[in-house]
Amino acid sequence: MKKTIVALIIANAFTTTAAFAAGDAGTWYSGAKFGWSHYFDTNTGAKARENNSGTNHFDIDRDNVGGGIYTGYQINPWLAVEGGYDYLGNMQINGHQGGSGARLKSQGIQMSLKASYAVTPKFDLYGRAGAMGYRAESDVSGHNRFETGVRPLAAVGTEYAFNKNWAGRVEYQWVSNVGNANQIGVSSDVSSVTAGLTYRFGQHDDAPVVATPAAVVAPAPAPQHFNLKSDVMFGYDSATLTSEGHAAIRQLYNTPGLQPANEKSTVVVGYSDRLGAPEYNQQLSLRRAQAVADELVSLGIPAQSISAEGRGASESVTGSTCDDQSGNALIGCLSPDRRVVVEISDK
């Protein structure tokens, strides 16, 4: 009587950038950013002109360093709410005809919604929109004045996940009309380009784990079931095993009950989800199955007793359950279909 052991190693790892680059839904993240700020559409009021012989002609140094800190909560794989503190740098205004000019320095507390779009499993494009409560401070001929208010802000950027906890981002941000020229002498729009580093808290463990074998049915042991998840075993669009993939296969090979496979027939079958060209998915699933088979041979299973097959998107696990999904949500929903199955049976 032929006995079959189906080996699957289940790892609940996110494969969409929104789920991976942006962090797991229901978790917090924090980070810091640093870069350049640029003041533009500058207005000067009477308080600045009165020390410049009444003229509105100034030499303006618009660029300075800026930065800030931020924290956010990932509501779902593509939407987060984010807040933080921004230092927007300062702008030096030099007067003509011996006028002393003015200086404007600004900073603020911001709150925004952040929407992400997955380009690859580790790379997002995102946009933010919200408001900043600012404090603008001017120095006109030794007279220091400040003014506060709330202004709209918008930002666009890109985010790349180095691993499950750390991600980097590059962002352009615009804040409208900071300061009040009538009150403190100067007002200006402020844009900034910054690079940031984000740490994400409470991320799910995406390391492959061997499940507990199922119960034994006398007189023959019942089949054992494990899950090998392609998204963790391999990099994006790759058939090269990751370090986690090597460790998972070694753990699978050393699991009690699998060692007799040295005297059995072993078939490794790769599967993909339904996204993309069928021919490409079939070839990728075959190359991934062959990589797992080669690793098992290197561990001790006889090469003449093992073979590899690629079946692409056939034998879907999710079936029609993802039909109402799209974009990042669809990619995440189809994650169970991306797998490698090892079948071991008596010769």
Side-chain angles (χ1 to χ4, degrees):
M1 177 179 178
K2 182 175 285 189
K3 305 172 186 177
T4 301
I5 302 174
V6 179
L8 286 167
I9 302 175
I10 301 177
N12 186 20
F14 289 93
T15 60
T16 64
T17 302
F20 184 66
D24 292 340
T27 61
W28 292 86
Y29 62 87
S30 293
K33 58 184 179 180
F34 182 79
W36 295 267
S37 64
H38 177 73
Y39 287 75
F40 63 102
D41 286 346
T42 302
N43 295 311
T44 52
K47 290 180 174 61
R49 294 194 297 268
E50 66 187 12
N51 292 296
N52 193 38
S53 301
T55 180
N56 197 33
H57 297 290
F58 297 90
D59 293 325
I60 302 177
D61 183 5
R62 303 178 185 274
D63 297 308
N64 204 259
V65 296
I69 56 176
Y70 53 88
T71 188
Y73 179 76
Q74 196 70 39
I75 300 172
N76 60 39
W78 60 270
L79 183 66
V81 59
E82 185 171 304
Y85 164 80
D86 279 7
Y87 174 70
L88 301 176
N90 61 71
M91 173 179 63
Q92 185 68 43
I93 305 175
N94 301 311
H96 284 189
Q97 302 175 0
S100 58
R103 184 168 64 92
L104 174 66
K105 179 174 67 176
S106 58
Q107 57 191 313
I109 302 295
Q110 61 162 282
M111 183 67 68
S112 63
L113 284 175
K114 173 175 175 278
S116 300
Y117 174 78
V119 179
T120 74
K122 292 187 177 182
F123 178 63
D124 281 358
L125 298 177
Y126 70 84
R128 292 194 298 111
M132 173 178 287
Y134 71 87
R135 184 184 192 275
E137 180 180 347
S138 71
D139 188 344
V140 182
S141 300
H143 297 287
N144 185 268
R145 302 177 177 89
F146 76 89
E147 186 260 345
T148 60
V150 177
R151 294 290 186 268
L153 71 82
V156 292
T158 180
E159 194 163 27
Y160 181 82
F162 303 115
N163 54 45
K164 69 177 183 177
N165 292 116
W166 290 97
R169 63 166 62 174
V170 177
E171 179 183 272
Y172 170 83
Q173 176 181 279
W174 164 80
V175 184
S176 173
N177 198 28
V178 173
N180 187 313
N182 294 326
Q183 294 186 30
I184 63 175
V186 186
S187 68
S188 180
D189 287 6
V190 187
S191 63
S192 58
V193 176
T194 56
L197 184 65
T198 303
Y199 181 81
R200 302 168 303 177
F201 302 93
Q203 298 302 292
H204 298 159
D205 186 5
D206 56 5
V209 179
V210 176
T212 304
V216 175
V217 179
Q224 294 175 292
H225 299 275
F226 309 91
N227 245 339
L228 275 179
K229 187 156 179 20
S230 294
D231 298 332
V232 178
M233 301 288 291
F234 304 94
Y236 176 70
D237 196 25
S238 171
T240 301
L241 285 166
T242 63
S243 56
E244 292 90 349
H246 284 285
I249 296 174
R250 185 165 52 253
Q251 185 178 6
L252 175 64
Y253 178 79
N254 291 324
T255 299
L258 292 184
Q259 287 302 300
N262 287 334
E263 289 76 41
K264 296 177 183 258
S265 177
T266 303
V267 179
V268 184
V269 184
Y271 297 91
S272 71
D273 63 25
R274 66 181 188 234
L275 302 178
E279 297 81 6
Y280 179 85
N281 287 339
Q282 195 279 332
Q283 288 298 320
L284 180 60
S285 64
L286 174 59
R287 289 190 289 121
R288 287 181 167 178
Q290 188 62 57
V292 173
D294 292 343
E295 183 69 6
L296 289 171
V297 169
S298 71
L299 292 171
I301 291 182
Q304 65 272 20
S305 300
I306 192 167
S307 62
E309 298 178 12
R311 298 181 185 172
S314 65
E315 301 178 31
S316 170
V317 174
T318 58
S320 61
T321 59
C322 302
D323 288 351
D324 60 343
Q325 305 288 332
S326 62
N328 295 332
L330 175 60
I331 296 174
C333 184
L334 294 175
S335 177
D337 290 340
R338 299 185 288 272
R339 66 200 191 278
V340 175
V341 176
V342 180
E343 298 179 354
I344 305 173
S345 57
D346 292 335
K347 289 184 178 180

PDB file of all heavy atoms in Angstrom, residues 117-145:
ATOM      1  N   TYR A 117       1.105  52.323  -2.477  1.00  0.00           N
ATOM      2  CA  TYR A 117       0.852  51.463  -3.637  1.00  0.00           C
ATOM      3  C   TYR A 117       2.073  50.570  -3.840  1.00  0.00           C
ATOM      4  O   TYR A 117       3.206  51.053  -3.929  1.00  0.00           O
ATOM      5  CB  TYR A 117       0.602  52.299  -4.890  1.00  0.00           C
ATOM      6  CG  TYR A 117       0.471  51.462  -6.142  1.00  0.00           C
ATOM      7  CD1 TYR A 117      -0.704  50.780  -6.422  1.00  0.00           C
ATOM      8  CD2 TYR A 117       1.536  51.335  -7.032  1.00  0.00           C
ATOM      9  CE1 TYR A 117      -0.829  50.004  -7.559  1.00  0.00           C
ATOM     10  CE2 TYR A 117       1.423  50.563  -8.170  1.00  0.00           C
ATOM     11  CZ  TYR A 117       0.243  49.900  -8.430  1.00  0.00           C
ATOM     12  OH  TYR A 117       0.130  49.128  -9.554  1.00  0.00           O
ATOM     13  N   ALA A 118       1.856  49.250  -3.911  1.00  0.00           N
ATOM     14  CA  ALA A 118       2.947  48.297  -4.032  1.00  0.00           C
ATOM     15  C   ALA A 118       3.465  48.262  -5.459  1.00  0.00           C
ATOM     16  O   ALA A 118       2.715  48.017  -6.389  1.00  0.00           O
ATOM     17  CB  ALA A 118       2.476  46.908  -3.611  1.00  0.00           C
ATOM     18  N   VAL A 119       4.771  48.485  -5.623  1.00  0.00           N
ATOM     19  CA  VAL A 119       5.427  48.316  -6.916  1.00  0.00           C
ATOM     20  C   VAL A 119       6.055  46.930  -6.996  1.00  0.00           C
ATOM     21  O   VAL A 119       5.942  46.231  -7.997  1.00  0.00           O
ATOM     22  CB  VAL A 119       6.487  49.409  -7.139  1.00  0.00           C
ATOM     23  CG1 VAL A 119       7.201  49.214  -8.476  1.00  0.00           C
ATOM     24  CG2 VAL A 119       5.850  50.787  -7.075  1.00  0.00           C
ATOM     25  N   THR A 120       6.757  46.523  -5.933  1.00  0.00           N
ATOM     26  CA  THR A 120       7.289  45.171  -5.772  1.00  0.00           C
ATOM     27  C   THR A 120       6.997  44.752  -4.339  1.00  0.00           C
ATOM     28  O   THR A 120       6.533  45.570  -3.538  1.00  0.00           O
ATOM     29  CB  THR A 120       8.815  45.109  -6.031  1.00  0.00           C
ATOM     30  OG1 THR A 120       9.508  45.690  -4.911  1.00  0.00           O
ATOM     31  CG2 THR A 120       9.186  45.846  -7.318  1.00  0.00           C
ATOM     32  N   PRO A 121       7.275  43.495  -3.945  1.00  0.00           N
ATOM     33  CA  PRO A 121       7.014  43.085  -2.564  1.00  0.00           C
ATOM     34  C   PRO A 121       7.780  43.875  -1.516  1.00  0.00           C
ATOM     35  O   PRO A 121       7.417  43.851  -0.351  1.00  0.00           O
ATOM     36  CB  PRO A 121       7.432  41.605  -2.556  1.00  0.00           C
ATOM     37  CG  PRO A 121       7.196  41.153  -3.936  1.00  0.00           C
ATOM     38  CD  PRO A 121       7.586  42.319  -4.804  1.00  0.00           C
ATOM     39  N   LYS A 122       8.838  44.593  -1.899  1.00  0.00           N
ATOM     40  CA  LYS A 122       9.591  45.363  -0.915  1.00  0.00           C
ATOM     41  C   LYS A 122       9.594  46.864  -1.193  1.00  0.00           C
ATOM     42  O   LYS A 122      10.186  47.627  -0.438  1.00  0.00           O
ATOM     43  CB  LYS A 122      11.049  44.872  -0.866  1.00  0.00           C
ATOM     44  CG  LYS A 122      11.210  43.473  -0.304  1.00  0.00           C
ATOM     45  CD  LYS A 122      12.680  43.130  -0.125  1.00  0.00           C
ATOM     46  CE  LYS A 122      12.863  41.750   0.499  1.00  0.00           C
ATOM     47  NZ  LYS A 122      14.285  41.428   0.720  1.00  0.00           N
ATOM     48  N   PHE A 123       8.948  47.312  -2.254  1.00  0.00           N
ATOM     49  CA  PHE A 123       9.090  48.681  -2.714  1.00  0.00           C
ATOM     50  C   PHE A 123       7.720  49.307  -2.914  1.00  0.00           C
ATOM     51  O   PHE A 123       6.893  48.779  -3.651  1.00  0.00           O
ATOM     52  CB  PHE A 123       9.894  48.678  -4.020  1.00  0.00           C
ATOM     53  CG  PHE A 123      10.077  50.025  -4.645  1.00  0.00           C
ATOM     54  CD1 PHE A 123      10.762  51.026  -3.999  1.00  0.00           C
ATOM     55  CD2 PHE A 123       9.555  50.276  -5.909  1.00  0.00           C
ATOM     56  CE1 PHE A 123      10.928  52.266  -4.598  1.00  0.00           C
ATOM     57  CE2 PHE A 123       9.714  51.519  -6.515  1.00  0.00           C
ATOM     58  CZ  PHE A 123      10.415  52.516  -5.849  1.00  0.00           C
ATOM     59  N   ASP A 124       7.462  50.439  -2.201  1.00  0.00           N
ATOM     60  CA  ASP A 124       6.190  51.150  -2.279  1.00  0.00           C
ATOM     61  C   ASP A 124       6.374  52.552  -2.842  1.00  0.00           C
ATOM     62  O   ASP A 124       7.416  53.184  -2.655  1.00  0.00           O
ATOM     63  CB  ASP A 124       5.587  51.344  -0.879  1.00  0.00           C
ATOM     64  CG  ASP A 124       4.916  50.113  -0.345  1.00  0.00           C
ATOM     65  OD1 ASP A 124       4.867  49.110  -1.060  1.00  0.00           O
ATOM     66  OD2 ASP A 124       4.461  50.170   0.804  1.00  0.00           O
ATOM     67  N   LEU A 125       5.338  53.053  -3.486  1.00  0.00           N
ATOM     68  CA  LEU A 125       5.149  54.482  -3.690  1.00  0.00           C
ATOM     69  C   LEU A 125       4.026  54.913  -2.755  1.00  0.00           C
ATOM     70  O   LEU A 125       3.070  54.169  -2.548  1.00  0.00           O
ATOM     71  CB  LEU A 125       4.773  54.778  -5.141  1.00  0.00           C
ATOM     72  CG  LEU A 125       5.798  54.411  -6.205  1.00  0.00           C
ATOM     73  CD1 LEU A 125       5.234  54.698  -7.588  1.00  0.00           C
ATOM     74  CD2 LEU A 125       7.105  55.172  -6.000  1.00  0.00           C
ATOM     75  N   TYR A 126       4.115  56.114  -2.179  1.00  0.00           N
ATOM     76  CA  TYR A 126       3.072  56.542  -1.256  1.00  0.00           C
ATOM     77  C   TYR A 126       2.826  58.042  -1.370  1.00  0.00           C
ATOM     78  O   TYR A 126       3.641  58.808  -1.909  1.00  0.00           O
ATOM     79  CB  TYR A 126       3.426  56.181   0.194  1.00  0.00           C
ATOM     80  CG  TYR A 126       4.570  56.959   0.799  1.00  0.00           C
ATOM     81  CD1 TYR A 126       4.355  58.219   1.372  1.00  0.00           C
ATOM     82  CD2 TYR A 126       5.855  56.446   0.821  1.00  0.00           C
ATOM     83  CE1 TYR A 126       5.393  58.932   1.934  1.00  0.00           C
ATOM     84  CE2 TYR A 126       6.895  57.152   1.381  1.00  0.00           C
ATOM     85  CZ  TYR A 126       6.668  58.400   1.941  1.00  0.00           C
ATOM     86  OH  TYR A 126       7.701  59.111   2.496  1.00  0.00           O
ATOM     87  N   GLY A 127       1.684  58.455  -0.876  1.00  0.00           N
ATOM     88  CA  GLY A 127       1.334  59.860  -0.771  1.00  0.00           C
ATOM     89  C   GLY A 127       0.772  60.146   0.609  1.00  0.00           C
ATOM     90  O   GLY A 127       0.146  59.274   1.223  1.00  0.00           O
ATOM     91  N   ARG A 128       1.004  61.347   1.104  1.00  0.00           N
ATOM     92  CA  ARG A 128       0.448  61.774   2.397  1.00  0.00           C
ATOM     93  C   ARG A 128      -0.290  63.095   2.202  1.00  0.00           C
ATOM     94  O   ARG A 128       0.138  63.948   1.427  1.00  0.00           O
ATOM     95  CB  ARG A 128       1.535  61.965   3.452  1.00  0.00           C
ATOM     96  CG  ARG A 128       2.222  60.700   3.904  1.00  0.00           C
ATOM     97  CD  ARG A 128       3.036  60.927   5.184  1.00  0.00           C
ATOM     98  NE  ARG A 128       4.111  61.888   5.016  1.00  0.00           N
ATOM     99  CZ  ARG A 128       4.135  63.094   5.576  1.00  0.00           C
ATOM    100  NH1 ARG A 128       3.110  63.509   6.325  1.00  0.00           N
ATOM    101  NH2 ARG A 128       5.157  63.917   5.376  1.00  0.00           N
ATOM    102  N   ALA A 129      -1.369  63.290   2.943  1.00  0.00           N
ATOM    103  CA  ALA A 129      -2.104  64.548   2.933  1.00  0.00           C
ATOM    104  C   ALA A 129      -2.629  64.805   4.331  1.00  0.00           C
ATOM    105  O   ALA A 129      -3.127  63.893   4.998  1.00  0.00           O
ATOM    106  CB  ALA A 129      -3.251  64.508   1.917  1.00  0.00           C
ATOM    107  N   GLY A 130      -2.511  66.057   4.784  1.00  0.00           N
ATOM    108  CA  GLY A 130      -2.968  66.387   6.122  1.00  0.00           C
ATOM    109  C   GLY A 130      -2.754  67.850   6.426  1.00  0.00           C
ATOM    110  O   GLY A 130      -2.874  68.716   5.552  1.00  0.00           O
ATOM    111  N   ALA A 131      -2.415  68.151   7.675  1.00  0.00           N
ATOM    112  CA  ALA A 131      -2.247  69.535   8.114  1.00  0.00           C
ATOM    113  C   ALA A 131      -1.091  69.622   9.093  1.00  0.00           C
ATOM    114  O   ALA A 131      -0.725  68.640   9.743  1.00  0.00           O
ATOM    115  CB  ALA A 131      -3.529  70.050   8.761  1.00  0.00           C
ATOM    116  N   MET A 132      -0.508  70.825   9.195  1.00  0.00           N
ATOM    117  CA  MET A 132       0.579  71.086  10.139  1.00  0.00           C
ATOM    118  C   MET A 132       0.193  72.268  11.018  1.00  0.00           C
ATOM    119  O   MET A 132      -0.218  73.331  10.521  1.00  0.00           O
ATOM    120  CB  MET A 132       1.890  71.386   9.413  1.00  0.00           C
ATOM    121  CG  MET A 132       3.011  71.839  10.349  1.00  0.00           C
ATOM    122  SD  MET A 132       4.589  72.155   9.508  1.00  0.00           S
ATOM    123  CE  MET A 132       5.091  70.461   9.152  1.00  0.00           C
ATOM    124  N   GLY A 133       0.315  72.096  12.317  1.00  0.00           N
ATOM    125  CA  GLY A 133       0.252  73.208  13.256  1.00  0.00           C
ATOM    126  C   GLY A 133       1.646  73.771  13.406  1.00  0.00           C
ATOM    127  O   GLY A 133       2.525  73.131  13.977  1.00  0.00           O
ATOM    128  N   TYR A 134       1.882  74.976  12.871  1.00  0.00           N
ATOM    129  CA  TYR A 134       3.253  75.497  12.780  1.00  0.00           C
ATOM    130  C   TYR A 134       3.506  76.630  13.781  1.00  0.00           C
ATOM    131  O   TYR A 134       2.584  77.253  14.311  1.00  0.00           O
ATOM    132  CB  TYR A 134       3.522  76.018  11.365  1.00  0.00           C
ATOM    133  CG  TYR A 134       2.792  77.304  11.041  1.00  0.00           C
ATOM    134  CD1 TYR A 134       3.342  78.550  11.350  1.00  0.00           C
ATOM    135  CD2 TYR A 134       1.547  77.273  10.427  1.00  0.00           C
ATOM    136  CE1 TYR A 134       2.663  79.729  11.071  1.00  0.00           C
ATOM    137  CE2 TYR A 134       0.867  78.441  10.148  1.00  0.00           C
ATOM    138  CZ  TYR A 134       1.425  79.678  10.469  1.00  0.00           C
ATOM    139  OH  TYR A 134       0.763  80.834  10.202  1.00  0.00           O
ATOM    140  N   ARG A 135       4.782  76.889  13.994  1.00  0.00           N
ATOM    141  CA  ARG A 135       5.252  78.083  14.713  1.00  0.00           C
ATOM    142  C   ARG A 135       6.302  78.746  13.841  1.00  0.00           C
ATOM    143  O   ARG A 135       7.344  78.150  13.557  1.00  0.00           O
ATOM    144  CB  ARG A 135       5.859  77.728  16.068  1.00  0.00           C
ATOM    145  CG  ARG A 135       6.265  78.956  16.897  1.00  0.00           C
ATOM    146  CD  ARG A 135       6.942  78.526  18.189  1.00  0.00           C
ATOM    147  NE  ARG A 135       7.100  79.620  19.118  1.00  0.00           N
ATOM    148  CZ  ARG A 135       8.117  80.498  19.125  1.00  0.00           C
ATOM    149  NH1 ARG A 135       9.076  80.377  18.197  1.00  0.00           N
ATOM    150  NH2 ARG A 135       8.180  81.465  20.014  1.00  0.00           N
ATOM    151  N   ALA A 136       6.015  79.956  13.375  1.00  0.00           N
ATOM    152  CA  ALA A 136       6.938  80.711  12.524  1.00  0.00           C
ATOM    153  C   ALA A 136       7.504  81.874  13.329  1.00  0.00           C
ATOM    154  O   ALA A 136       6.762  82.616  13.981  1.00  0.00           O
ATOM    155  CB  ALA A 136       6.224  81.226  11.285  1.00  0.00           C
ATOM    156  N   GLU A 137       8.806  82.032  13.266  1.00  0.00           N
ATOM    157  CA  GLU A 137       9.495  83.066  14.051  1.00  0.00           C
ATOM    158  C   GLU A 137      10.338  83.926  13.111  1.00  0.00           C
ATOM    159  O   GLU A 137      11.100  83.409  12.292  1.00  0.00           O
ATOM    160  CB  GLU A 137      10.378  82.394  15.099  1.00  0.00           C
ATOM    161  CG  GLU A 137      11.137  83.351  15.974  1.00  0.00           C
ATOM    162  CD  GLU A 137      11.996  82.621  17.012  1.00  0.00           C
ATOM    163  OE1 GLU A 137      11.775  81.392  17.183  1.00  0.00           O
ATOM    164  OE2 GLU A 137      12.871  83.244  17.610  1.00  0.00           O
ATOM    165  N   SER A 138      10.193  85.245  13.215  1.00  0.00           N
ATOM    166  CA  SER A 138      10.963  86.153  12.381  1.00  0.00           C
ATOM    167  C   SER A 138      11.874  87.018  13.234  1.00  0.00           C
ATOM    168  O   SER A 138      11.592  87.283  14.409  1.00  0.00           O
ATOM    169  CB  SER A 138      10.035  87.047  11.549  1.00  0.00           C
ATOM    170  OG  SER A 138       9.379  87.997  12.381  1.00  0.00           O
ATOM    171  N   ASP A 139      12.957  87.416  12.621  1.00  0.00           N
ATOM    172  CA  ASP A 139      13.894  88.342  13.253  1.00  0.00           C
ATOM    173  C   ASP A 139      14.110  89.484  12.267  1.00  0.00           C
ATOM    174  O   ASP A 139      14.770  89.328  11.240  1.00  0.00           O
ATOM    175  CB  ASP A 139      15.212  87.628  13.560  1.00  0.00           C
ATOM    176  CG  ASP A 139      16.154  88.486  14.399  1.00  0.00           C
ATOM    177  OD1 ASP A 139      15.926  89.700  14.472  1.00  0.00           O
ATOM    178  OD2 ASP A 139      17.111  87.933  14.948  1.00  0.00           O
ATOM    179  N   VAL A 140      13.527  90.647  12.552  1.00  0.00           N
ATOM    180  CA  VAL A 140      13.626  91.820  11.687  1.00  0.00           C
ATOM    181  C   VAL A 140      14.327  92.925  12.456  1.00  0.00           C
ATOM    182  O   VAL A 140      13.768  93.491  13.403  1.00  0.00           O
ATOM    183  CB  VAL A 140      12.235  92.300  11.208  1.00  0.00           C
ATOM    184  CG1 VAL A 140      12.371  93.495  10.280  1.00  0.00           C
ATOM    185  CG2 VAL A 140      11.483  91.173  10.519  1.00  0.00           C
ATOM    186  N   SER A 141      15.599  93.186  12.086  1.00  0.00           N
ATOM    187  CA  SER A 141      16.391  94.247  12.735  1.00  0.00           C
ATOM    188  C   SER A 141      16.426  94.072  14.250  1.00  0.00           C
ATOM    189  O   SER A 141      16.255  95.027  15.018  1.00  0.00           O
ATOM    190  CB  SER A 141      15.830  95.625  12.374  1.00  0.00           C
ATOM    191  OG  SER A 141      15.861  95.843  10.990  1.00  0.00           O
ATOM    192  N   GLY A 142      16.613  92.847  14.684  1.00  0.00           N
ATOM    193  CA  GLY A 142      16.713  92.583  16.110  1.00  0.00           C
ATOM    194  C   GLY A 142      15.393  92.444  16.821  1.00  0.00           C
ATOM    195  O   GLY A 142      15.364  92.153  18.010  1.00  0.00           O
ATOM    196  N   HIS A 143      14.274  92.637  16.126  1.00  0.00           N
ATOM    197  CA  HIS A 143      12.955  92.470  16.725  1.00  0.00           C
ATOM    198  C   HIS A 143      12.457  91.065  16.426  1.00  0.00           C
ATOM    199  O   HIS A 143      12.207  90.718  15.276  1.00  0.00           O
ATOM    200  CB  HIS A 143      11.980  93.517  16.173  1.00  0.00           C
ATOM    201  CG  HIS A 143      12.360  94.931  16.496  1.00  0.00           C
ATOM    202  ND1 HIS A 143      12.237  95.477  17.746  1.00  0.00           N
ATOM    203  CD2 HIS A 143      12.894  95.901  15.702  1.00  0.00           C
ATOM    204  CE1 HIS A 143      12.657  96.718  17.729  1.00  0.00           C
ATOM    205  NE2 HIS A 143      13.075  97.016  16.487  1.00  0.00           N
ATOM    206  N   ASN A 144      12.321  90.287  17.486  1.00  0.00           N
ATOM    207  CA  ASN A 144      11.905  88.895  17.319  1.00  0.00           C
ATOM    208  C   ASN A 144      10.397  88.786  17.489  1.00  0.00           C
ATOM    209  O   ASN A 144       9.832  89.259  18.472  1.00  0.00           O
ATOM    210  CB  ASN A 144      12.632  88.009  18.338  1.00  0.00           C
ATOM    211  CG  ASN A 144      12.328  86.544  18.139  1.00  0.00           C
ATOM    212  OD1 ASN A 144      11.418  86.013  18.734  1.00  0.00           O
ATOM    213  ND2 ASN A 144      13.100  85.903  17.266  1.00  0.00           N
ATOM    214  N   ARG A 145       9.727  88.197  16.495  1.00  0.00           N
ATOM    215  CA  ARG A 145       8.280  88.015  16.554  1.00  0.00           C
ATOM    216  C   ARG A 145       7.958  86.573  16.157  1.00  0.00           C
ATOM    217  O   ARG A 145       8.686  85.957  15.382  1.00  0.00           O
ATOM    218  CB  ARG A 145       7.565  88.963  15.594  1.00  0.00           C
ATOM    219  CG  ARG A 145       7.851  90.439  15.821  1.00  0.00           C
ATOM    220  CD  ARG A 145       7.145  91.275  14.752  1.00  0.00           C
ATOM    221  NE  ARG A 145       7.329  92.699  14.944  1.00  0.00           N
ATOM    222  CZ  ARG A 145       8.351  93.396  14.422  1.00  0.00           C
ATOM    223  NH1 ARG A 145       9.235  92.778  13.679  1.00  0.00           N
ATOM    224  NH2 ARG A 145       8.451  94.693  14.636  1.00  0.00           N
TER     225      ARG A 145
END
